[in-house]
């Protein structure tokens, strides 16, 4: 079975394209059904985050063109729009890519830990929809094990260098003393939880958390001494906040230019700092054109992030070594599984030949045959049957110049050891 990874990420595609290729939770069931029905992939998993959309597939070796056409069509794009930003990895390279992603080595923020959780969620979703079979399940489980070793055996995750941390760091360029500022966090997922933690560490004490479900918003807000609201209440509270950081899975913008314009009139030129981490974006891009609004997307955080990853570069080299070992270990496991299947077939064939010869011998005995003659005939017949096809193939291979087959035969049956025993036998006598 062939393994294929196909996708786009923050290095190959701008946010404008990434948000068009993102998968919303509401369409995942449809996506899995279509993908497996039209692409030639028997197993599939989909990872969709603010920085990447990737498909992990097991199936036909030539399924890549069909997958590309499906991906473009599913999102209403022309195939050509995707091709320039698309990357593909096959078999061993696909294994290595997934492990690097899980370890945070392919992230915008080197070593960031959230991607591992997102990959686990993608695997769980694939299993929930019956899209992940034994092959992908084995790969995901092994990948998670490698990522855990990277986390525990290297220092790649020691310093806070996440997208959330970078977003809060940028706020210092606008507000020198953030203890005086009120923050509105839109969403209540893991990224926003991390943002809230870093804002609190930076001195912010006044929090609002807006979410589709009030219970989740209240739970996160109350953990920081703040207040939870639903998304429809955002315009009412907009004039009172200074920092807005958003990360939801909404397919449409949550905060528009009109609402921000109305809030600005009441703020008397007090600036807004906004970071839109979501893909698709939660804040209309036109908001950034307004005076006194400093709006950044996930792509704008790159410079801040790059300044903070130098301390992780040594750990990254160690992590790459662990990934390389993990890839080799997984491929060895696959080869071992192939050997088990081949050995099973080999044994089944030998047992069939054995049963045929035993049946023939039993018939001879029932017909009054001499037992010794029957036994010798059985042994001779079984030996001939077992050795006939291998002998034919070895002679054929040797004639064709494939002399390594003869060497494999000598290794499999330890013929060199037999030759050595034959040489030493007279001396022993």
């Amino acid at each position: 079975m062939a393994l294929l990874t196909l996708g786009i990420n923050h290095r190959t595609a701008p946010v404008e394209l990434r948000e068009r290729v993102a998968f919303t939770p509401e369409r995942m069931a449809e996506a899995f059904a279509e993908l497996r029905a039209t692409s030639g992939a028997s197993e599939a998993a989909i990872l969709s985050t603010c920085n990447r959309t990737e498909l992990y597939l097991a199936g036909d070796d030539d399924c890549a063109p069909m997958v590309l056409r499906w991906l473009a069509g599913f999102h209403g794009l022309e195939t050509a729009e995707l091709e320039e930003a698309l990357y593909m990895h096959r078999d061993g390279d696909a294994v290595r890519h997934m492990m690097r992603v899980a370890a945070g080595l392919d992230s915008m923020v080197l070593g960031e830990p959230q991607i591992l959780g997102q990959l686990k969620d993608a695997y769980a979703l694939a299993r929930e929809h019956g899209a992940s079979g034994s092959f992908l399940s084995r790969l995901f489980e092994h990948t998670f094990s490698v990522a855990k070793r990277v986390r525990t055996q290297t220092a790649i995750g020691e310093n806070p260098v996440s997208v959330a941390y970078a977003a809060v760091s940028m706020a210092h360029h606008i507000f020198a003393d953030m203890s005086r500022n009120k923050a509105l966090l839109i969403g209540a997922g893991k990224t926003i939880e991390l943002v809230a933690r870093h804002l609190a560490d930076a001195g912010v004490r006044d929090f609002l958390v807006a979410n589709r479900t009030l219970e989740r918003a209240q739970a996160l807000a109350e953990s920081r001494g703040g207040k939870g609201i639903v998304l429809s209440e955002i315009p009412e509270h907009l004039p009172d906040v200074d920092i807005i950081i958003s990360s939801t899975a909404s397919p449409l913008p949550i905060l528009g230019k009109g609402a921000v314009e109305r809030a600005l009139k009441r703020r008397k030129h007090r600036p807004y700092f906004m970071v839109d981490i979501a893909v698709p974006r939660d804040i209309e891009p036109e908001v950034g054109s307004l005076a006194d609004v400093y709006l950044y997307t996930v792509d704008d955080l790159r410079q801040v992030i790059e300044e903070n990853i130098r301390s992780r570069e040594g750990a990254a080299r160690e992590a790459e070594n662990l990934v390389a070992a993990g890839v080799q270990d997984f491929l060895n496991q696959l080869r071992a599984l192939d050997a088990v299947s081949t050995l099973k077939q080999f044994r089944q064939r030998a047992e069939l030949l054995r049963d045929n010869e035993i049946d023939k011998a039993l018939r001879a005995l029932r017909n009054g045959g001499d037992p010794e003659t029957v036994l010798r005939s059985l042994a001779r017949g079984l030996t001939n049957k077992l050795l006939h096809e291998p002998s034919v193939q070895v002679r054929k291979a040797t004639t064709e110049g494939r002399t390594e087959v003869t060497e494999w035969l000598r290794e499999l049956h330890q013929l060199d050891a037999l030759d050595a025993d034959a040489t030493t036998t007279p001396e022993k006598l």
Side-chain angles (χ1 to χ4, degrees):
M1 184 175 291
L3 177 66
L4 173 71
T5 296
L6 178 149
I8 64 172
N9 64 17
H10 57 284
R11 292 190 182 89
T12 67
V15 66
E16 291 81 7
L17 179 58
R18 297 203 307 275
E19 65 185 359
R20 296 176 69 190
V21 185
F23 287 86
T24 60
E26 295 78 14
R27 297 194 70 191
M28 276 296 189
E30 176 190 359
F32 279 121
E34 286 189 14
L35 176 57
R36 297 176 69 202
T38 62
S39 68
S42 58
E43 300 182 32
I46 300 172
L47 174 66
S48 188
T49 74
C50 60
N51 281 331
R52 70 182 65 242
T53 292
E54 293 185 344
L55 310 179
Y56 306 105
L57 309 164
D60 297 342
D61 190 47
D62 58 351
C63 69
M66 292 181 286
V67 174
L68 175 57
R69 285 194 297 272
W70 172 81
L71 182 61
F74 188 84
H75 293 291
L77 299 169
E78 295 294 329
T79 303
E81 292 182 78
L82 275 178
E83 283 182 314
E84 288 189 5
L86 201 75
Y87 48 82
M88 284 188 285
H89 303 288
R90 295 180 183 275
D91 299 325
D93 290 336
V95 174
R96 178 175 180 271
H97 177 77
M98 181 189 282
M99 291 182 183
R100 295 190 75 252
V101 169
L105 293 169
D106 194 57
S107 298
M108 178 185 291
V109 181
L110 181 64
E112 62 95 3
Q114 286 174 277
I115 187 61
L116 179 57
Q118 292 165 333
L119 201 59
K120 288 181 177 180
D121 290 342
Y123 173 46
L125 200 59
R127 294 184 65 187
E128 178 185 328
H129 290 282
S132 176
S134 60
F135 190 93
L136 283 185
S137 293
R138 185 175 288 109
L139 174 58
F140 272 106
E141 294 294 347
H142 194 82
T143 294
F144 299 152
S145 176
V146 170
K148 182 178 179 180
R149 286 202 295 273
V150 169
R151 290 284 159 195
T152 57
Q153 297 179 26
T154 75
I156 198 165
E158 282 188 356
N159 298 316
V161 194
S162 64
V163 169
Y165 180 81
V168 174
S169 295
M170 291 187 74
H172 281 293
H173 296 296
I174 312 299
F175 306 113
D177 181 6
M178 286 197 288
S179 64
R180 302 177 181 180
N181 302 116
K182 185 172 185 176
L184 168 63
L185 307 182
I186 305 176
K190 294 178 181 178
T191 298
I192 290 297
E193 286 184 19
L194 198 55
V195 167
R197 191 184 83 189
H198 289 310
L199 282 172
D201 291 343
V204 176
R205 297 291 175 265
D206 203 350
F207 283 92
L208 272 179
V209 179
N211 193 50
R212 183 173 56 85
T213 58
L214 181 60
E215 294 79 8
R216 183 76 182 105
Q218 287 176 331
L220 176 55
E222 289 171 3
S223 70
R224 297 294 174 184
K227 176 183 177 183
I229 61 175
V230 294
L231 297 178
S232 60
E233 296 180 84
I234 289 177
E236 174 188 342
H237 295 276
L238 210 53
D240 302 322
V241 300
D242 308 299
I243 299 168
I244 301 172
I245 301 179
S246 186
S247 178
T248 77
S250 172
L252 298 172
I254 291 172
L255 189 58
K257 182 180 179 184
V260 178
E261 281 182 313
R262 290 189 290 274
L264 280 169
K265 290 178 182 178
R266 297 173 54 184
R267 288 178 60 81
K268 299 179 181 179
H269 302 290
R270 285 187 294 125
Y272 271 127
F273 171 77
M274 301 182 183
V275 180
D276 189 352
I277 302 175
V279 177
R281 283 171 285 186
D282 287 336
I283 303 174
E284 289 183 348
E286 293 78 11
V287 170
S289 66
L290 298 174
D292 299 316
V293 173
Y294 299 87
L295 173 62
Y296 301 92
T297 70
V298 66
D299 286 356
D300 297 320
L301 304 179
R302 189 184 304 273
Q303 183 177 354
V304 175
I305 290 166
E306 287 176 350
E307 291 173 357
N308 287 278
I309 65 174
R310 293 186 181 88
S311 63
R312 297 188 173 190
E313 289 176 352
R317 286 191 290 272
E318 296 175 25
E320 292 284 9
N321 291 334
L322 289 173
V323 166
V327 172
Q328 191 59 53
D329 186 36
F330 181 75
L331 295 178
N332 289 343
Q333 288 182 27
L334 290 185
R335 294 187 189 103
L337 288 173
D338 286 341
V340 168
S341 175
T342 299
L343 288 171
K344 183 178 179 180
Q345 289 178 299
F346 179 63
R347 178 173 288 276
Q348 287 173 341
R349 181 175 181 274
E351 289 175 347
L352 179 61
L353 293 173
R354 176 203 64 197
D355 292 343
N356 288 339
E357 292 302 313
I358 288 175
D359 289 342
K360 188 187 302 183
L362 290 173
R363 284 195 300 271
L365 289 173
R366 283 194 291 266
N367 290 331
D370 174 60
E372 182 177 348
T373 302
V374 171
L375 283 174
R376 291 185 181 279
S377 178
L378 168 63
R380 184 169 55 252
L382 185 56
T383 302
N384 289 339
K385 290 289 195 314
L386 287 173
L387 297 181
H388 173 71
E389 192 59 34
S391 299
V392 170
Q393 295 302 323
V394 168
R395 282 195 293 268
K396 180 183 176 184
T398 304
T399 302
E400 294 172 352
R402 293 184 289 126
T403 56
E404 69 275 8
V405 175
T406 303
E407 296 301 320
W408 294 338
L409 181 65
R410 298 191 67 84
E411 181 178 347
L412 286 171
H413 292 281
Q414 297 291 293
L415 298 183
D416 290 339
L418 290 176
D419 290 345
D421 287 343
T423 301
T424 58
T425 297
E427 296 180 6
K428 291 179 181 177
L429 295 173

